[in-house]
Amino acid sequence: MGTKKRYSMRMLSLRVAVAVIVVVGCAGAAYVLWSGAVQQETVHSKVLTEARTLNKEMQAAWDYIDEAQTAINTDKDGTYDFKNVYCAVAGKGIARRFTQNADGYVIRYVRENPRTGSDAPDDFEQRALNHFTVGGSTEYYEMAEMDGQPVFRYSSVLLVRNNCLDCHGAPAGEKDVTGFIKEGMEIGDVAGAVSMVIPVKSYVKGAGEEQTRSLVFFVGLALVVAVVLSLLLRRWVAAPLEQANRQLASENEEQSNFLAIMSHELRTPLSSIIAFTDIWDKSDREKDPEEERLVGKIRDNSHTLLNMVNNTIDVARLEAGRLEVTLDEVDLVDVMGAAMAVAEPLAMKKGVTLTKSVDSAIPVMHSDGEALRKILVNLATNAVKFTDEGGTVTVSARMAERGGAVELEVADTGAGIAPEDRERIFEKFSQAKATAGSGAVGAGGRYDKAGKAPGSGLGLYLVKSLTERLGGKVRLRSTVGKGSVFTVTVPVESTEASTDEEDGIRG
């Protein structure tokens, strides 16, 4: 028993540990997914902020050159002298120098109808120009890959302003001061776009390192929680359970001893009383009729009490896990004979016709013969007890239609059982209600003509429990006023799993 308890505690600890590991694993996986999404969003937000900052710096340089055009192209004496320095040239020069000095960064200016080959857009830049032309936001960006490295592509629109008209305004087709053909644009038209390529490798690496640190912290915290939880479970759950198990084992031992005492102190005297009545009945001396009646009542009531004591002890042993179910080879003819030896004297005394039959096709069963005998005894004696004089009780055994199982059937011609009582009568200490004017209400919970219940209400509970222990089931068909039929179906080859010591059945 101690080994079994320790094994149970180890199993409990193992199951708790597995549960904690599974929970921590699932939480860790969820955290990785969640933090990955958060880190990706963080990288996107940081690189977008950098792109917007660079765009503002490039736009500031562009605006400065644009505003300084007059000063640049006017000599000290006020003579206009174009120096070939204007916003586009300055912007492209700054972008080129920045691109050369910044590893992985690219800044360039593109337009729909490029004046030079360097202004021609690639696929991303063309999508950006189309987006700006249709209208909407003034920026366009996406994550991409260049030369096998992750990058962030960003583009910002360049709109035609007043100072742009000298080179790009009307009349279309005329050469501007730089020698290029004017496009005839108007203020607010899309002149082009600034395009940037920003490497994100450093951002991704930083995010990965941050995620790793967070994951290590999370796993460490989870392990600490798991250890603390295990210690608390051991102290507040496992230890009290061990104490409770020790107490239950002590109580079971006391109950087992009590049942042994009950078996000896009650059944032995009752058996002796029955034996003395049998000796008296077989004696040759002349017997007074009143004396015979009284002794007969002693014998009958002793049999009834012995049966009640047996059922009570069996139920107590069953619920205490001490009623063994021993599987062995069983000849159902012998079991039926032993059960009828108990029921036939009751039937003869009441004037009830009791018949029995066993199908010759039933093979030798692998079951518990004593359990089958108790099932038949309880069903048959109940049926006889609650069937009026002149009635019939039939006990039969046959192979089930689907094979592999045997059907034990006990049918009586009693008053039947009301529908509302058919489930309840299988409960412990349950009694069906008496039907007005009937001498029998139904087996296991029926009343005699005086309206008294002669049984303890344990017979059918024991029948159902034993049947289920053998892997079978009980069915009831009953018609009020016509009788009842109890059918017990048990397998030919029982495999009563609850005999395993771990389930505490054998004790």
Side-chain angles (χ1 to χ4, degrees), residues 284-297:
D284 294 332
R285 77 178 185 82
E286 185 178 350
K287 303 175 182 65
D288 181 80
E290 180 63 16
E291 189 178 17
E292 288 186 348
R293 185 183 69 83
L294 293 175
V295 172
K297 284 190 172 293

Side-chain angles (χ1 to χ4, degrees), residues 228-391:
V228 172
L229 181 61
S230 298
L231 292 176
L232 292 179
L233 284 174
R234 179 66 184 175
R235 180 179 180 85
W236 293 342
V237 178
L241 282 177
E242 290 177 350
Q243 177 61 30
N245 279 339
R246 286 192 293 269
Q247 184 175 351
L248 286 175
S250 176
E251 292 176 355
N252 283 339
E253 187 66 26
E254 292 177 0
Q255 188 174 25
S256 178
N257 294 335
F258 170 75
L259 292 175
I261 294 172
M262 284 281 289
S263 175
H264 180 269
E265 297 298 330
L266 291 178
R267 287 194 285 200
T268 301
L270 285 173
S271 299
S272 299
I273 293 173
I274 294 171
F276 286 136
T277 58
D278 289 339
I279 293 173
W280 180 89
D281 189 52
K282 293 177 182 179
S283 64
D284 294 332
R285 77 178 185 82
E286 185 178 350
K287 303 175 182 65
D288 181 80
E290 180 63 16
E291 189 178 17
E292 288 186 348
R293 185 183 69 83
L294 293 175
V295 172
K297 284 190 172 293
I298 292 173
R299 181 192 304 108
D300 294 342
N301 283 288
S302 296
H303 275 294
T304 299
L305 183 57
L306 181 60
N307 186 58
M308 291 173 63
V309 169
N310 287 336
N311 281 347
T312 301
I313 293 175
D314 285 342
V315 168
R317 290 176 62 82
L318 180 69
E319 296 190 343
R322 303 299 182 188
L323 184 61
E324 295 186 2
V325 171
T326 305
L327 302 180
D328 201 353
E329 291 187 352
V330 175
D331 187 341
L332 199 55
V333 174
D334 295 338
V335 174
M336 181 75 77
M340 292 304 98
V342 178
E344 283 173 348
L346 296 176
M348 293 177 61
K349 183 176 181 64
K350 286 198 67 177
V352 172
T353 301
L354 176 62
T355 61
K356 68 175 187 288
S357 64
V358 179
D359 188 352
S360 59
I362 297 176
V364 174
M365 300 173 64
H366 182 69
S367 190
D368 188 321
E370 180 59 19
L372 292 173
R373 186 193 70 83
K374 289 178 180 179
I375 291 170
L376 286 174
V377 166
N378 274 286
L379 291 178
T381 55
N382 273 340
V384 170
K385 193 183 304 180
F386 296 104
T387 299
D388 292 335
E389 183 178 356

Side-chain angles (χ1 to χ4, degrees), residues 454-496:
S456 61
L458 295 176
L460 287 182
Y461 172 78
L462 186 61
V463 167
K464 184 174 184 292
S465 299
L466 290 174
T467 300
E468 291 175 349
R469 290 281 297 278
L470 294 176
K473 60 182 179 179
V474 183
R475 301 193 309 274
L476 167 63
R477 303 192 312 273
S478 184
T479 302
V480 175
K482 294 185 178 180
S484 303
V485 179
F486 288 85
T487 304
V488 173
T489 304
V490 291
V492 174
E493 296 286 335
S494 291
T495 55
E496 206 277 311

